[in-house]
Amino acid sequence: MRNSLRLPVTGVAALLLLSGCADGASSSYTVPDQVCDASATPDALEPLLPPGEEYNDVVDAADDDGGPEHCSISIDGRESLRMTIYLFPDYTDPMEYGVNYGREETRRVEMDGFDAALWPDGILTYVPCFAEREGDRGTHIGLRIEVFHAPIDDDTERAESMREFAGDFIAGLKESKGCEV
């Protein structure tokens, strides 16, 4: 009688263990609400990051010559998301990036009143900033986000997740850069 109860209990324990990993993805890291020196909603970023143990983001500040600022998010030491932030003197059509870099699948989308170029693993937009701090070289911020190893297989779903994160991140980015608009 004792052995007949062990099999069902063991079977139930195995099913519970497997159900916790049914999608094959588990993470023990916490997505912060500060991403690359700007506030962001963790729920907007999380779908773009692969499962893993350790979250890390590294910011390389813009140089004095007006070069871009880079930010990289890594999970378990593997780059998962890269952001490049530029200052521009005027508005630039984000679709020019898609054309210049041969991204045939790029499409124009509207994001909170701004145009963006969106493709399955990236997004680019230019938003007005008009910061009046000395040394600023632009009236607009260009933001390019590229995602690697996202757990979302469907190109359309991944692109929409990128659009959602970018829209959320822009608000925090504008605040961190002291934008007036």
Side-chain angles (χ1 to χ4, degrees):
M1 190 58 118
R2 187 191 283 171
N3 287 341
S4 65
L5 287 176
R6 187 176 298 161
L7 183 59
V9 171
T10 305
V12 169
L15 285 175
L16 289 173
L17 181 62
L18 288 174
S19 68
C21 303
D23 61 2
S26 64
S27 297
S28 61
Y29 63 85
T30 300
V31 178
D33 60 4
Q34 284 284 315
V35 176
C36 303
D37 296 334
S39 64
T41 305
D43 288 344
L45 176 57
E46 190 171 20
L48 298 172
L49 300 177
E53 302 293 318
E54 185 180 346
Y55 172 100
N56 188 36
D57 71 19
V58 176
V59 177
D60 292 326
D63 60 29
D64 292 336
D65 295 332
E69 178 179 324
H70 298 280
C71 176
S72 175
I73 296 174
S74 298
I75 304 300
D76 296 340
R78 190 169 147 190
E79 186 176 40
S80 301
L81 191 134
R82 180 184 311 144
M83 289 191 269
T84 307
I85 301 162
Y86 303 85
L87 291 176
F88 279 88
D90 292 308
Y91 175 79
T92 302
D93 184 352
M95 289 301 290
E96 289 179 19
Y97 176 85
V99 171
N100 290 337
Y101 290 90
R103 298 190 181 277
E104 295 173 10
E105 64 277 356
T106 301
R107 62 187 170 101
R108 184 183 303 274
V109 295
E110 188 272 331
M111 200 171 54
D112 296 327
F114 305 104
D115 281 342
L118 179 67
W119 58 96
D121 58 357
I123 189 167
L124 173 77
T125 190
Y126 297 91
V127 294
C129 183
F130 303 110
E132 289 187 7
R133 294 169 294 151
E134 188 170 329
D136 282 353
R137 291 171 287 281
T139 60
H140 286 72
I141 294 174
L143 172 65
R144 183 177 72 215
I145 302 173
E146 298 168 284
V147 67
F148 313 98
H149 318 294
I152 305 169
D153 290 331
D154 182 73
D155 287 351
T156 303
E157 185 181 337
R158 186 174 52 253
E160 287 308 312
S161 288
M162 291 196 57
R163 181 181 182 180
E164 182 179 331
F165 169 68
D168 177 73
F169 181 72
I170 284 171
L173 181 62
K174 288 172 68 173
E175 182 180 331
S176 75
K177 297 296 182 192
C179 296
E180 297 174 356
V181 295

